[in-house]
Amino acid sequence: MEGRRLNPPDAVQSAPAARGDYRWLITIRPDGLPQQAGAVPSLIQWQGPHPGDALPPSPWRLQALFSDDRLGATLTGPRTVHLP
């Protein structure tokens, strides 16, 4: 996603983070708690190489993602998303 900027919602801030050779921006709430009890992921914008580029090829692929929104804030119930 080179050329795109991380524009977090007003309720979160972007903060720089690093580990080893990797640098990124990550969205966090001002109080440090996960958004909607962890139901909403933090956004990451890589500032250089993506760590996935260093992994060897794999036959494994994500085929579905299941979410059970216990807060009822985002989804209307359990939902499975099948990926192409």
Side-chain angles (χ1 to χ4, degrees), residues 6-72:
L6 181 64
N7 293 315
D10 294 337
V12 296
Q13 303 165 338
S14 61
R19 180 174 288 170
D21 293 335
Y22 299 110
R23 308 276 179 269
W24 63 93
L25 295 175
I26 186 166
T27 57
I28 57 170
R29 285 177 27 161
D31 60 10
L33 295 173
Q35 294 184 63
Q36 297 186 18
V40 176
S42 295
L43 302 176
I44 293 176
Q45 180 176 342
W46 294 102
Q47 305 289 296
H50 189 285
D53 295 340
L55 295 173
S58 172
W60 299 99
R61 298 288 179 259
L62 180 64
Q63 293 182 344
L65 179 64
F66 177 79
S67 175
D68 181 4
D69 180 16
R70 297 174 194 274
L71 298 178

Side-chain angles (χ1 to χ4, degrees), residues 1-6 45:
M1 293 193 2
E2 191 173 333
R4 290 189 174 183
R5 302 238 177 209
L6 181 64
Q45 180 176 342

